[in-house]
Amino acid sequence: MSSKKGIPEHTVSKIKKLRRQEIPIETLTKGIFEGDKTLLAQGITLLESSNPEHFDKANTLVEKCLAKSTQTIRIGITGVPGVGKSSFIEVLGTTLTSIGKKVAVLAVDPTSSLSKGSILGDKTRMQSLSKDPNAFIRPSPSGESLGGVARKTRESIVLCEAAGFDVILVETVGVGQSETMVHSMVDFFLLLKLSGAGDELQGIKRGIMEMADAIAINKADGHNVEKAKLAETEFTRALHLYPPKENGWTPKVLRCSAMENNGIVEIWEMIRDFAIKTSETGHFDKNRKTQNKNWFLQTVDEQLKQFFHQKKTFKSKQDQMLKAIEENKISPYYAAQTLLADLTQELK
């Protein structure tokens, strides 16, 4: 007997059985340290699992990977939808692998509100890079996370570094108010912009521009070359409005074309220059330590939220408060205060 796809039924059963089997942490760790991309992917799947039984195993795996000393650079890449993030990353990634670098791409895709899965699927949009033996692409659904960052992106970075990847690229869904999440987990924050799209006017706004270590004006090709030059001038002027960065780095504006593979090498050289200069001044390591502290504080917030939501009495009391709010008997703010006060009283 064969399945609909022509695969023997016993083979299908064997594959399903293997998928159900839990791989020991020691096996996962050893495989990740040896650069096994299949076991790396399974390790990240363990991290992303919402099954409470997997939490301790995932934490053990992360701790083992954290203990491995690595020298890497983490690059966050953001920009509005349509700016060409995936195309840019593919060209940058293949450029880096061609000079001997190992590149991991953590591509956070928009999540379907129905299936809860990734909508875009970056492996289909980065076909050349996905076939590169020195590259690893992991699309993850953003879920309900703010800023288009998957819940376990930080931990995934740690696993990729332990697997021997030199450069970690974190691609986000787009730009938004919570894009600081990306900034808080990378060494270098690259903002991709388009010329002639009205973005030049956005340059004088704070927020995302202020966080950027560099701005790359993508699609600077064909009829867009002159517009890109104008945009470069406008963005450079805008950056002068912001106070100097604590690490002493002066943000730069460059033009590039992923389609024509122009300006990509220059962007990498700039990022490498950033890493060298900030390492010499001690800011590179200082930033990593600060990020680890923030990681701890954010995890505490997340786990407190999970703790309350998992309490049996939470759901019933929450429903009571929602009913009272619906009937205008209590304000949402006071209802939240009352609910938390009741729950904390139970802990005493």
Side-chain angles (χ1 to χ4, degrees):
M1 289 259 326
S2 296
S3 67
K4 290 180 180 179
K5 293 183 178 179
I7 303 172
E9 289 292 346
H10 70 275
T11 305
V12 173
S13 300
K14 186 178 178 181
I15 292 170
K16 287 181 178 179
K17 186 179 179 181
L18 285 170
R19 284 178 177 174
R20 284 195 297 269
Q21 289 177 348
E22 288 196 9
I23 301 172
I25 293 300
E26 294 73 18
T27 305
L28 273 179
T29 306
K30 184 174 181 292
I32 289 171
F33 284 5
E34 291 174 352
D36 188 314
K37 291 195 282 187
T38 300
L39 289 177
L40 171 59
Q42 290 176 317
I44 294 175
T45 298
L46 178 67
L47 295 180
E48 294 175 342
S49 172
S50 56
N51 185 343
E53 294 178 4
H54 293 162
F55 290 169
D56 288 341
K57 292 179 180 178
N59 289 335
T60 301
L61 180 61
V62 172
E63 285 178 5
K64 288 180 179 293
C65 289
L66 273 171
K68 186 177 181 184
S69 179
T70 59
Q71 287 188 329
T72 63
I73 183 159
R74 307 165 182 172
I75 305 168
I77 299 176
T78 190
V80 296
V83 76
K85 292 189 293 293
S86 294
S87 300
F88 174 84
I89 288 172
E90 178 164 44
V91 177
L92 175 61
T94 51
T95 299
L96 293 175
T97 57
S98 70
I99 59 172
K101 298 290 184 183
K102 290 189 69 178
V103 180
V105 180
L106 298 175
V108 186
D109 275 349
T111 300
S112 166
S113 58
L114 299 176
S115 68
K116 306 300 180 186
S118 301
I119 292 175
L120 301 178
D122 280 86
K123 281 194 175 182
T124 60
R125 293 180 290 146
M126 301 182 192
Q127 293 185 15
S128 296
L129 191 61
S130 64
K131 296 172 185 174
D132 195 313
N134 286 323
F136 172 77
I137 301 176
R138 174 70 182 205
S140 298
S142 59
E144 297 176 355
S145 300
L146 295 176
V149 181
R151 185 171 57 91
K152 294 295 181 179
T153 301
R154 291 180 190 273
E155 289 92 333
S156 299
I157 290 173
V158 172
L159 264 61
C160 289
E161 291 177 333
F165 290 94
D166 310 296
V167 183
I168 315 296
L169 303 177
V170 182
E171 178 197 5
T172 66
V173 174
V175 291
Q177 290 182 342
S178 298
E179 205 67 6
T180 49
M181 289 291 289
V182 191
H183 185 258
S184 71
M185 64 180 72
V186 297
D187 306 307
F188 190 92
F189 191 52
L190 180 65
L191 174 61
L192 293 184
K193 287 281 193 178
L194 288 171
S195 61
D199 274 355
E200 293 86 344
L201 297 175
Q202 303 296 321
I204 58 173
K205 292 185 178 180
R206 304 189 80 86
I208 191 77
M209 284 278 294
E210 195 169 20
M211 290 188 294
D213 293 303
I215 295 172
I217 302 164
N218 196 21
K219 301 185 180 180
D221 45 50
H223 298 297
N224 281 329
V225 173
E226 291 305 316
K227 290 179 181 177
K229 289 180 181 178
L230 180 61
E232 180 182 11
T233 303
E234 294 295 331
F235 284 128
T236 302
R237 287 174 183 166
L239 287 174
H240 287 307
L241 298 175
Y242 304 133
K245 288 184 177 287
E246 185 187 348
N247 59 13
W249 174 258
T250 302
K252 296 174 173 54
V253 183
L254 292 87
R255 287 173 281 124
C256 67
S257 168
M259 185 175 70
E260 296 183 353
N261 197 359
N262 288 330
I264 307 297
V265 172
E266 288 76 8
I267 289 173
W268 168 244
E269 288 175 350
M270 172 193 61
I271 295 172
R272 190 177 57 179
D273 186 44
F274 167 90
I276 293 170
K277 288 182 177 177
T278 54
S279 294
E280 288 173 350
T281 60
H283 280 282
F284 192 94
D285 288 335
K286 181 183 176 184
N287 182 50
R288 287 273 181 106
K289 289 175 182 176
T290 300
Q291 288 180 353
N292 283 338
K293 290 177 184 176
N294 291 336
W295 180 6
F296 160 72
L297 295 172
Q298 287 167 6
T299 304
V300 169
D301 287 343
E302 287 175 11
Q303 297 204 358
L304 280 172
K305 184 179 175 182
Q306 285 178 5
F307 172 77
F308 281 114
H309 277 277
Q310 286 168 0
K311 287 185 68 66
K312 292 180 180 178
T313 53
F314 181 87
K315 185 71 171 67
S316 59
K317 288 187 177 182
Q318 181 179 247
D319 289 342
Q320 291 172 19
M321 292 300 170
L322 287 170
K323 191 170 186 287
I325 291 168
E326 202 173 71
E327 295 171 354
N328 287 326
K329 291 180 178 178
I330 190 172
S331 74
Y333 178 78
Y334 186 67
Q337 273 192 323
T338 305
L339 176 61
L340 291 174
D342 288 348
L343 289 170
T344 47
Q345 189 63 36
E346 289 181 14
L347 300 175
K348 293 180 179 178

